[in-house]
Amino acid sequence: MTEVSSLTGRLLVATPALADPNFDRAVVLLLDHDEEGSLGVVLNRPTPVGVSDILEGWAGLTGEPGVVFQGGPVSLDSALGVAVIPGDSSGDRGPLGWRRVHGAIGLVDLEAPPELLASALGSLRIFAGYAGWGPGQLEDELVEGAWYVVESEPGDVSSPVPERLWREVLRRQRSDLAMVATYADDPSLN
């Protein structure tokens, strides 16, 4: 098997050609990527379920919209917290109950008392489920042209209008990729 160069902390942006409805115009933050597989959360799929409905203690710490996001099609009955801790993104370990993924972005231990992290959090999103790939599966999808791989920014985690995130991430690219942001929702209408 070839060595896998880690994409942890980067974004997978669905290409217009990606046919899987679970990932239509999806922006996925990769939380883990190595030779054993990949795991991420879809950043732009808000649900109508309020965070207060399932994790009341964390509701006051989440940004707008204060809803649970569908992190992907796997394990929809589980929750993941992704948070940005402002400040030095490479130095210290961060607060207890938070594990750095990349830069200022990390995973929150939702079993920890919310008060433990309240003063340190810059933004928090709660995700039901996740997107997962077995060994080599994501690499195959990349070769097939299903995803664009781009750098993440801390603000991607807490985009106030997540429905616009796909276009916004593409638009900020400094290449021909920025043109893809203008791709019609339904190309047959062109």
Side-chain angles (χ1 to χ4, degrees):
M1 184 171 162
T2 59
E3 183 176 325
V4 174
S5 177
S6 181
L7 299 176
T8 299
R10 298 188 74 191
L11 297 177
L12 299 177
V13 180
T15 67
L18 183 59
D20 185 337
N22 289 307
F23 297 109
D24 181 43
R25 305 252 170 149
V27 177
V28 177
L29 172 66
L30 281 174
L31 301 172
D32 194 22
H33 176 250
D34 58 27
E35 63 279 344
E36 295 178 18
S38 304
L39 180 138
V41 290
V42 179
L43 296 177
N44 57 336
R45 295 282 193 274
T47 72
V49 178
V51 173
S52 60
D53 295 339
I54 60 164
L55 290 169
E56 187 175 345
W58 291 99
L61 300 176
T62 59
E64 290 298 321
V67 298
V68 175
F69 282 66
Q70 183 174 338
V74 182
S75 294
L76 291 173
D77 58 344
S78 66
L80 287 170
V82 178
V84 173
I85 302 289
D88 182 15
S89 62
S90 60
D92 64 73
R93 292 184 51 231
L96 194 60
W98 180 81
R99 180 180 63 85
R100 185 181 317 280
V101 170
H102 177 75
I105 301 168
L107 284 168
V108 172
D109 177 0
L110 295 174
E111 298 294 322
E115 314 74 63
L116 191 64
L117 288 161
S119 65
L121 291 180
S123 64
L124 170 68
R125 280 268 156 88
I126 305 296
F127 297 90
Y130 61 90
W133 294 264
Q137 188 179 5
L138 178 56
E139 288 73 17
D140 291 345
E141 290 183 16
L142 292 172
V143 169
E144 293 167 5
W147 301 99
Y148 302 119
V149 179
V150 301
E151 294 298 323
S152 64
E153 295 181 2
D156 296 334
V157 172
S158 59
S159 174
V161 187
E163 297 83 358
R164 293 188 197 153
L165 189 61
W166 185 83
R167 289 189 193 283
E168 289 171 357
V169 168
L170 288 171
R171 196 172 292 125
R172 74 178 183 230
Q173 302 310 306
R174 297 176 186 237
S175 65
D176 292 342
L177 199 50
M179 292 295 292
V180 178
T182 64
Y183 195 83
D185 290 336
D186 185 353
S188 67
L189 297 177
N190 279 347

